[in-house]
Amino acid sequence: MEQRKYWDSVSEQKEFTLPLQADRLACYVGKDGRILDVGCGYGRTLGELYGLGYRNLVGIDFSPGMIERGKRQFPQLDLRVKKDEAIDLPGESVDAVLLFAALTCIRSDEEQAALVGEISRVLKPGGVLYVNDYLLGHDERNLQRYEAFAEKYGTYGVFELPEGAVCRHHSEEYIFRLLGGFAKKEYAPITFTTMNGHRADGFYYIGQK
């Protein structure tokens, strides 16, 4: 929540880039399944799913600016502002949850764990969580900024961007521990292009409740 002002300020400029492995998601949820995108931004990923024939789609994001843009760009989507830590949906009401570059925007272990707990609550038994996010990089640029901000934030991998955002990259060990309440179905490291045009180490993960 603390970074809402930043994301509102860049809501019209940023283009999100993490790829959707739609063929992998389709192995777990049909076109009639209810899919929730947590941290949906302006709805890019849901827009892609809509184009593939999915219709029961909901997106939530804490940035009103992002949601406003999304409603203009994808008026066919159900996009909502996330107003507090809880997800405003009933328990066991969705078939799949997407979590794309959302963990990178949450710097504390406790807040990440709380979000994963909420995701588990709203997922139906047998539902899936599909995560795309960033791993710790080993290039000089990333190593320097991890070291520069480690003392300030108390977590290795947290860093500030010059434009004002605070981001976090994660170890595989941490990700598997965070998502340990799910049965891991798929995992693979991937190289992503970031919203600022840099190459970065990342992963995709699908777990089942």
Side-chain angles (χ1 to χ4, degrees):
M1 294 294 184
E2 65 189 43
Q3 296 194 76
R4 181 188 289 115
K5 185 176 180 180
Y6 166 76
W7 290 108
D8 281 343
S9 73
V10 300
S11 61
E12 296 295 333
Q13 292 83 42
K14 294 298 182 183
E15 297 293 331
F16 298 144
T17 55
L18 297 195
L20 169 69
Q21 286 85 11
D23 58 331
R24 304 312 310 149
L25 181 63
C27 294
Y28 301 93
V29 57
K31 297 290 176 65
D32 59 344
R34 192 179 198 199
I35 300 176
L36 169 67
D37 188 350
V38 176
C40 66
Y42 56 88
R44 177 190 66 95
T45 304
L46 291 181
E48 189 173 343
L49 286 172
Y50 190 91
L52 293 171
Y54 293 86
R55 292 294 181 268
N56 198 355
L57 306 171
V58 179
I60 59 174
D61 197 281
F62 65 77
S63 166
M66 286 287 179
I67 294 298
E68 183 179 327
R69 172 185 171 184
K71 287 182 174 181
R72 294 196 312 270
Q73 193 166 340
F74 303 105
Q76 72 275 26
L77 297 179
D78 180 359
L79 303 179
R80 310 173 185 178
V81 177
K82 187 175 185 289
K83 296 181 179 179
D84 52 40
E85 300 304 321
I87 294 173
D88 189 19
L89 289 175
E92 300 184 355
S93 61
V94 299
D95 298 285
V97 173
L98 309 182
L99 197 64
F100 278 31
L103 295 176
T104 194
C105 299
I106 304 171
R107 60 183 174 85
S108 82
D109 292 6
E110 294 76 16
E111 289 182 49
Q112 290 190 356
L115 177 60
V116 171
E118 271 294 284
I119 288 170
S120 181
R121 181 185 67 79
V122 301
L123 272 173
K124 297 176 182 178
V128 295
L129 168 62
Y130 170 16
V131 184
N132 268 359
D133 221 296
Y134 295 99
L135 294 172
L136 290 171
H138 302 288
D139 57 288
E140 192 61 29
R141 173 174 169 270
N142 274 309
L143 292 175
Q144 287 181 356
R145 59 187 184 177
Y146 299 157
E147 290 293 342
F149 293 102
E151 184 174 351
K152 178 176 180 179
Y153 291 105
T155 302
Y156 186 79
V158 177
F159 59 93
E160 297 176 4
L161 294 178
E163 60 204 73
V166 179
C167 300
R168 180 177 180 179
H169 294 169
H170 311 82
S171 68
E172 287 186 339
E173 178 186 14
Y174 174 79
I175 290 296
F176 294 149
R177 187 167 66 249
L178 176 68
L179 304 178
F182 296 89
K184 183 177 67 173
K185 295 299 182 181
E186 301 189 22
Y187 173 86
I190 304 177
T191 301
F192 294 136
T193 300
T194 73
M195 65 180 183
N196 290 334
H198 300 290
R199 302 294 283 173
D201 295 327
F203 69 93
Y204 96 89
Y205 165 98
I206 295 176
Q208 191 169 39
K209 178 178 174 180

